Amino acid sequence: MIQITSPYSVVFDEHNQTIVFSGNMRPFVKDEMTEIKDIFEKVCSKISGTLYLDLKKLSNINNLAFKEIFDCINWLSKKKPDLQIKIMTTSVVAWSLKKFVLLKEISPSVSVEEYDREFYPGQGVIENESFIPVLRTQTKIIWGLEKKFLERHGLKEDMMIADICCGIGDFAVEVHKAFKPQELIAVDHSKPSLKYAREVARQFGLSGIQYVYGDAAALMLEDNTFDFVTCRLSLQIFDMPELILKELYRICKPGGRVYLTNETYSKCFGDPHSESIKWTYQEASRLFGNLGMNLEFGTKMYKFLQECNFKKIIIEPMIPTNINADPRAFADVIKSWEDYVVNKLAAGENRDEDYCKKLRAGFQDHIRAITHPKGFGGWPIWVGSGEK
Amino acid sequence: MIVNNDNITGNQLCSLRFSAMAFTKDWCHCDQLSNYVSRLVSSNKIDSFVFSNLFSTVINEVLEAIFRNNSGNDHVEVSIYQAGNDSLIVSSIPVDDVSRDFYDRVISGLKNGDAKDMYRELIKREKGFAPETGFYELAADYDADISLEHKPDGKRIALSVRVCLEPENGAVKE
């Protein structure tokens, strides 16, 4: 079973003042839950300010357990009326919010929120339907190069594969065609992207890919399940990439590999007009940065993979250029960046006309460089992987 | 298989038949059966993971009620149907006077009161857990249609729970 069905655990993280619930919580009698009462008693004597109840990885709960938690919170809020109690549910577990919202009735100091709605600042932008053309054109030029990288980083036929932050699912489709996996699960938190992915799969009569709505930072997948876990161009858009990397590590089998790609966007280059191109990409990277994204994450992967205990780490550059990729398709990618960065990001910050003009000129110079017979341009992406 | 009788029109997805005595030997059977059956009936769903998780919540409440109100050695039969966008769980359960009374009380409570209020009351009460809580939650939070049929010999009931977890557009209900 790939989905989490393991018995529940409840752990108090004193440092973060958080009680973390996970797994399947379906006890027969409340005496099975004495540890939870003990934790609430400990909390009562030790903390002040705000207590967090993290329910993101609680896959199931029965009503006996729910009542017990209700009673514990009720008891605590009476004992410590000044304590704020914040309950974090997730939209990935469809029953979660509608069940836990009842806890708000205990006291005004108890709040319940869907944590993944506001996980990172740029989430709304990335999950928006308007981002689909950007993703689609990018895959067009990357896949031709990436297939060889995947082989070098350990992807083989007949593997159990998870593609986390799968976007519109086009990479999963290519992997499915080229590597015939035993099972391929593609997870994303954008409903429009998943809808698009499923529609493409339906139109092309593709079966064998499970597109699943999920939160990369709290995956509802069992530990040690996949031979190969991919997460492409995604850690760079979260402001807490270590949380996601930890999850990728958890679901990867011992001996399996986690495969990442991330950019150094400000280092996109081209000639002629190299200065204009350089300025534009540095600015664009900064604009993405204002949304909480770090499009320079590519060169940080080595550090993050090490800190997450990966072994046999490989890091190497993969640079689509007008020589190794189709210049026309590459130009389409840059055009989609131009539209997005100038029309959405710069406009969103109310930048003046001169700034937007200069920003747009750099993208257009980049297009000229890669489509000119003697011009040259590229997009630096870093490929990294590590063994669990 | 399309089943078509007086009460059920739908596609039977699976049917389980097990000894009540064996089932009630271990509480974990409720959770294990819920998760197994949920995965089974979710395989053709658009988001099979999300549907399976929701379906497991629903069927587990039914199985836990059967476990807690078991009254004999006879067999239990649980059948799952797809009826349009609805999922239908029909359980044939052996009963005695006490357990029959339990199910009758649940149905009468649902008919005569507001499920949301009753669910809230049962969770908030100081008296401890009430085994009917799950049925009120299904009616309150999932708009479940719960009905009961007494078999002529008085020794069995058929408990039906009809719920829509996946509306027409295929997205799982939130």
Side-chain angles (χ1 to χ4, degrees), chain A residues 26 59 67 105 191 213, chain B residues 31 47 53 124-125 174:
Chain A
R26 287 170 169 171
S59 50
K67 177 161 173 48
E105 294 182 18
K191 288 182 177 170
Y213 177 60
Chain B
D31 180 56
D47 193 325
N53 180 248
K124 289 180 176 178
R125 73 180 195 167
E174 285 175 39

Side-chain angles (χ1 to χ4, degrees), chain A residues 125-142:
Chain A
V125 179
I126 290 296
E127 292 183 0
N128 194 290
E129 212 158 350
S130 65
F131 211 69
I132 289 176
V134 180
L135 299 175
R136 209 176 47 197
T137 43
Q138 285 186 174
T139 306
K140 258 197 239 169
I141 65 160
I142 298 175

Side-chain angles (χ1 to χ4, degrees), chain A residues 64-83:
Chain A
L64 183 128
F66 179 58
K67 177 161 173 48
E68 194 59 14
I69 290 173
F70 186 97
D71 291 346
C72 285
I73 295 173
N74 197 15
W75 172 82
L76 182 64
S77 71
K78 285 197 174 94
K79 281 262 180 195
K80 298 195 86 156
D82 294 336
L83 184 72

